[in-house]
Amino acid sequence: MSGAPMGGALRPATRADLLGLPVEVAPRLLGGTLTTVVSGEVVVIRLTEVEAYHGAGTGDRPDPASHARMGRTARNATMWGEPGHLYVYLSHGIHSCVNVVSGPEGVAGGILLRAGEVIEGRDAATRRRRERRGAVRADRDLARGPGRFGDAVGLRHPVHDGIDAITGADHAGATARLELRAEPLERLASGPRVGVAGTAGTDAFPWRFWIERDPTVSAFRWGRGARDA
């Protein structure tokens, strides 16, 4: 179904691929694909931009921007579970955003899928974007930014939270499959996360990773107080 974009072969992701902490795993997702089938419609997106988030007790420093920074809750429970499931949460009461759970089960972590290129299912992705947010200005904008990404792949909070992207098992009438490049990309960039407030949005957390010069990567903006932190 999905191809081998940018000249690299793809393979199905495994749980073992995702056992590392999010900041370690996140760059490996770039150039890979997420394939969803929702209501019979297939959409395949090549991943071009991601951000790592660590939960309480994960890694060598607290992550003030993580939904799991204060421990397990009903909202973030998927982040504490088996790697390879997708944590789908609601942002600003509107946007369904998609994260790949990373790290050993019981250690909270997620990798936000910030942006990508729609390489199959453009008609379905475009219709979903128009239904939820109006006109689509250009193909590059279909999945450019986490809210748009969630719209394009058709996964919605709360019904699809926890869907398994390793087995591809049906979850509320949808399936998801994650594929990784057999050989990781070499020309990657990293820097502060987009729109994250305070210290968590500065160079102290260079946990955003993207494919250099890819037109689908979202524009950087400082979060509240981050520029001066």
Side-chain angles (χ1 to χ4, degrees), residues 29-76:
L29 301 188
L30 295 173
T33 60
L34 181 68
T35 299
T36 61
V37 184
V38 181
S39 300
E41 294 183 303
V42 179
V43 171
V44 184
I45 295 186
R46 178 177 65 92
L47 307 177
T48 61
E49 181 187 14
V50 297
E51 287 179 344
Y53 290 86
H54 289 185
T58 303
D60 61 358
R61 74 194 88 164
D63 180 1
S66 173
H67 289 176
R69 64 187 179 275
M70 302 298 290
R72 188 191 298 263
T73 66
R75 181 195 192 195
N76 67 36

Side-chain angles (χ1 to χ4, degrees), residues 120-140:
E120 185 176 337
R122 186 170 282 104
D123 288 348
T126 300
R127 190 194 71 253
R128 290 168 182 165
R129 289 279 301 117
R130 286 176 175 159
E131 288 173 350
R132 292 172 184 139
R133 237 142 331 255
V136 179
R137 290 173 294 182
D139 278 355
R140 76 167 193 168

Side-chain angles (χ1 to χ4, degrees), residues 187-204:
R187 298 183 63 181
L188 304 179
S190 64
R193 297 173 293 194
V194 176
V196 172
T199 302
T202 69
D203 286 332

Side-chain angles (χ1 to χ4, degrees), residues 12-192:
T14 67
R15 303 234 189 264
D17 290 322
L18 305 172
L19 280 175
L21 299 183
V23 73
E24 300 164 347
V25 174
R28 288 281 289 113
L29 301 188
L30 295 173
T33 60
L34 181 68
T35 299
T36 61
V37 184
V38 181
S39 300
E41 294 183 303
V42 179
V43 171
V44 184
I45 295 186
R46 178 177 65 92
L47 307 177
T48 61
E49 181 187 14
V50 297
E51 287 179 344
Y53 290 86
H54 289 185
T58 303
D60 61 358
R61 74 194 88 164
D63 180 1
S66 173
H67 289 176
R69 64 187 179 275
M70 302 298 290
R72 188 191 298 263
T73 66
R75 181 195 192 195
N76 67 36
T78 299
M79 290 182 72
W80 298 83
E82 194 175 36
H85 292 260
L86 302 183
Y87 169 48
V88 182
Y89 71 89
L90 197 63
S91 174
H92 302 295
I94 302 172
H95 308 293
S96 289
C97 300
V98 181
N99 300 253
V100 176
V101 175
S102 173
E105 187 169 2
V107 176
I111 301 167
L112 175 64
L113 304 183
R114 273 205 62 87
E117 176 193 9
V118 179
I119 60 175
E120 185 176 337
R122 186 170 282 104
D123 288 348
T126 300
R127 190 194 71 253
R128 290 168 182 165
R129 289 279 301 117
R130 286 176 175 159
E131 288 173 350
R132 292 172 184 139
R133 237 142 331 255
V136 179
R137 290 173 294 182
D139 278 355
R140 76 167 193 168
D141 291 327
L142 278 175
R144 188 173 184 239
R148 292 172 177 174
F149 189 103
D151 287 345
V153 297
L155 298 179
R156 309 304 295 167
H157 169 87
V159 66
H160 296 130
D161 182 33
I163 191 170
D164 191 346
I166 302 300
T167 65
D170 182 274
H171 185 107
T175 63
R177 285 277 191 179
L178 179 66
E179 291 186 293
L180 304 179
R181 286 178 57 92
E183 295 295 331
L185 291 172
E186 295 180 359
R187 298 183 63 181
L188 304 179
S190 64

